[in-house]
């Protein structure tokens, strides 16, 4: 018998059968462990422990028996048990168990693989693409696992899946004409991912300012935006016509300040340049800059004052914090320099005609508290509905 075992193991296809048997038995064992885990709250711990050991012993015995039968070594008890188990697995029930077990393993494997895709803490285009593709790949692979499992189950039950799929494809073609918006969503989502128009973590504005926020979720069908107030906007990809991305590659701070017409513009520009340079040199903020600040000078003469402007080229998604810090510093600097930031002002011209002023003394008002009212107040039961006066 030992010589027969060595001769059988020297054949490569025998090893392939052994590996296949072990994979199937492992899948069935994991499936049983999953069912036992679901029963944990409903049975006693001692019984649960007994069931786990019984299930492990059963799987090991079945694995050894099937391997003995696959290798074709005539061990008296194990060979006959392996033959019975193999024949049982060839019928629908055994195939269903194997299909479900392998599907669960595939489902868990997809989750473990997608969890290994770590975008990183730093915000850049690589992190955005990895975070986006992680969700898309995870959902797509899970759908593929479910479809393959469904087709395999139909085949195990004796249903011709090829004929069924042909009928479903014809039905799907008919439904496709009525589901054009869904198809448009999927195609639009595909090109959004392919061209890296935006991704998870980007700050975007959809359709020229209709909706804006940070992209929280993106797949082939929809884009989920988280607004500043916490509201989540779900936008079908087919309804997205234009997208304004505020966090792609780099961002810009448009640092503006208004001064009154009576202020010294050159002095105000010096204050603006000093605030920009101090902010650029500050170690706490310097890492956010991609280039030195650019002071453009006087950009417009508005109705209420003179507008001064500087531009900061900064890291994406850092422009909001830098804008707030600039506003704080420029207000303090302008106050210290004695330069007034304007508020709405209007000049009223009364013409050249002389102005006449007339003083009028009002007559003293009578004390209403001392007046007597002869008419009695109506009691609540005597009041009428105002809408019923005409009746």
């Amino acid at each position: 018998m030992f010589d027969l075992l060595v001769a059988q193991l020297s054949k490569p296809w025998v090893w392939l059968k052994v590996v296949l048997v072990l994979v199937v038995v492992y899948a069935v064992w994991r499936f049983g462990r999953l069912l036992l885990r679901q029963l944990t709250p409903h049975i006693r711990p001692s019984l649960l422990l007994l069931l786990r050991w019984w299930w492990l012993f059963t799987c090991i015995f079945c694995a050894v028996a099937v391997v003995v039968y696959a290798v074709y070594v005539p061990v008296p008890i194990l060979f006959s048990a392996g033959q019975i188990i193999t024949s049982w697995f060839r019928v629908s029930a055994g195939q269903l168990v194997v299909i479900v077990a392998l599907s669960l393993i595939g489902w868990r494997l997809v989750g473990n693989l997608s969890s290994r895709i770590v975008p990183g803490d730093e915000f850049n285009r690589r992190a955005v693409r990895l975070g986006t593709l992680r969700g898309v790949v995870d959902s797509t692979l899970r759908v593929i696992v479910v479809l393959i499992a469904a087709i395999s189950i139909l085949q195990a039950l004796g249903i011709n899946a090829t004929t069924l799929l042909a009928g479903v494809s014809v039905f799907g073609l008919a439904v496709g004409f009525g589901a054009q918006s869904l198809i448009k969503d999927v195609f639009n989502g595909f090109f959004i991912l392919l061209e890296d128009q935006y991704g998870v973590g980007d700050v975007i504005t959809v359709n020229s300012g209709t909706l804006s926020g940070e992209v929280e979720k993106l797949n082939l069908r929809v884009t989920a935006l988280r607004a500043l107030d916490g509201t989540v906007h779900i936008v079908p990809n087919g309804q997205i016509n234009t997208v304004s991305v505020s966090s792609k590659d780099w961002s810009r701070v448009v640092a503006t300040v208004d001064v009154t017409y009576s202020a010294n513009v050159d002095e105000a520009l010096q204050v603006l340049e000093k605030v920009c340079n101090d902010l650029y040199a500050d170690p706490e903020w310097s890492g956010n800059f991609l280039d030195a600040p650019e002071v453009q000078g006087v950009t417009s003469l508005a109705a209420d004052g003179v507008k001064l402007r500087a531009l900061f080229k900064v890291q994406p998604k850092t422009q909001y914090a830098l804008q707030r810090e600039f506003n704080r510093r420029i207000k303090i600097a302008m106050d210290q320099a004695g330069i007034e930031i304007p508020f709405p002002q209007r000049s009223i011209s009364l013409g050249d005609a002389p102005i006449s002023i007339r003083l009028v003394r009002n007559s003293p008002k009578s004390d209403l508290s001392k007046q007597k009212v002869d008419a009695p107040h109506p009691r609540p039961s005597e009041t009428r509905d105002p809408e019923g006066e005409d009746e």
Side-chain angles (χ1 to χ4, degrees):
M1 184 179 297
F2 181 76
D3 296 336
L4 179 61
L5 177 61
V6 173
Q8 289 292 96
L9 292 178
S10 62
K11 301 176 182 178
W13 60 270
V14 173
W15 284 102
L16 182 62
K17 290 172 65 175
V18 171
V19 172
L20 182 61
V21 168
L22 293 178
V23 170
V24 172
V25 173
Y26 174 75
V28 174
W29 175 74
R30 290 295 301 269
F31 178 65
R33 287 294 300 266
L34 180 62
L35 293 180
L36 291 176
R37 192 178 296 115
Q38 300 297 325
L39 296 176
T40 301
H42 307 288
I43 59 178
R44 293 180 299 176
S46 57
L47 181 58
L48 180 64
L49 182 63
L50 179 63
L51 290 175
R52 286 179 177 176
W53 280 105
W54 173 82
W55 180 245
L56 177 62
F57 174 76
T58 303
C59 291
I60 293 175
F61 176 78
C62 293
V64 173
V66 175
V67 166
V68 168
Y69 178 73
V71 178
Y72 213 79
V73 178
V75 179
I77 299 177
L78 295 178
F79 186 85
S80 58
Q83 185 179 8
I84 295 173
I85 295 172
T86 303
S87 61
W88 178 75
F89 262 85
R90 288 175 181 174
V91 299
S92 299
Q95 293 182 11
L96 288 177
V97 173
V98 174
I99 291 170
V100 173
L102 292 177
S103 301
L104 290 175
I105 292 177
W107 186 276
R108 295 291 297 273
L109 184 62
V110 168
N112 292 334
L113 290 178
S114 61
S115 63
R116 294 179 180 273
I117 303 176
V118 181
D121 298 331
E122 185 179 356
F123 183 83
N124 49 41
R125 296 315 305 169
R126 180 179 179 276
V128 170
R129 297 207 70 178
L130 285 177
T132 305
L133 293 176
R134 173 183 176 179
V136 174
V137 170
D138 182 75
S139 59
T140 303
L141 290 180
R142 289 180 188 271
V143 170
I144 293 174
V145 169
V146 172
L147 289 178
I148 294 176
I151 295 173
S152 302
I153 289 174
L154 292 176
Q155 293 281 16
L157 294 177
I159 301 174
N160 191 351
T162 305
T163 306
L164 183 62
L165 288 176
V168 170
S169 62
V170 175
F171 177 74
L173 182 63
V175 173
F177 290 103
Q180 296 182 10
S181 60
L182 179 61
I183 297 174
K184 183 180 179 182
D185 295 340
V186 173
F187 271 95
N188 214 19
F190 172 76
F191 284 107
I192 288 173
L193 295 173
L194 180 65
E195 299 172 0
D196 190 25
Q197 298 178 11
Y198 58 87
V200 175
D202 276 325
V203 179
I204 66 172
T205 301
V206 178
N207 297 337
S208 302
T210 305
L211 297 172
S212 62
E214 182 176 349
V215 179
E216 194 171 77
K217 178 183 177 183
L218 173 62
N219 54 34
L220 292 177
R221 194 178 67 85
V222 297
T223 297
L225 300 179
R226 176 76 66 173
L228 185 62
D229 60 353
T231 304
V232 178
H233 304 289
I234 309 297
V235 185
N237 293 329
Q239 297 182 10
I240 299 177
N241 298 320
T242 59
V243 178
S244 303
V245 184
S246 303
S247 57
K248 193 167 185 178
D249 298 331
W250 56 273
S251 300
R252 172 169 283 160
V253 176
V254 181
T256 60
V257 61
D258 294 349
V259 297
T260 59
Y261 278 98
S262 60
N264 189 329
V265 177
D266 293 334
E267 184 180 356
L269 286 174
Q270 292 177 1
V271 174
L272 175 61
E273 185 174 4
K274 183 178 184 303
V275 169
C276 295
N277 292 332
D278 291 345
L279 186 60
Y280 178 68
D282 191 337
E284 185 179 353
W285 300 95
S286 60
N288 298 323
F289 284 87
L290 296 177
D291 204 350
E294 177 187 356
V295 179
Q296 293 188 324
V298 178
T299 57
S300 65
L301 303 177
D304 299 319
V306 180
K307 185 178 292 294
L308 312 180
R309 185 171 69 191
L311 299 178
F312 306 158
K313 186 176 181 181
V314 298
Q315 297 282 355
K317 295 181 70 174
T318 63
Q319 67 268 33
Y320 310 108
L322 278 168
Q323 180 73 66
R324 293 190 295 268
E325 180 64 15
F326 169 80
N327 292 338
R328 185 185 71 84
R329 295 193 180 199
I330 195 66
K331 175 62 171 64
I332 296 174
M334 288 296 183
D335 290 344
Q336 291 176 351
I339 300 175
E340 185 179 3
I341 297 177
F343 51 87
Q345 302 179 23
R346 295 293 181 269
S347 298
I348 300 175
S349 178
L350 300 177
D352 298 332
I355 301 175
S356 60
I357 300 175
R358 182 170 54 184
L359 300 177
V360 179
R361 184 174 64 182
N362 295 331
S363 59
K365 296 182 180 180
S366 59
D367 191 357
L368 297 179
S369 62
K370 297 181 180 180
Q371 294 182 3
K372 294 183 179 181
V373 181
D374 296 333
H377 294 284
R379 289 175 295 180
S381 60
E382 296 176 352
T383 58
R384 293 183 293 176
D385 188 356
E387 297 181 357
E389 293 291 338
D390 297 331
E391 296 180 358

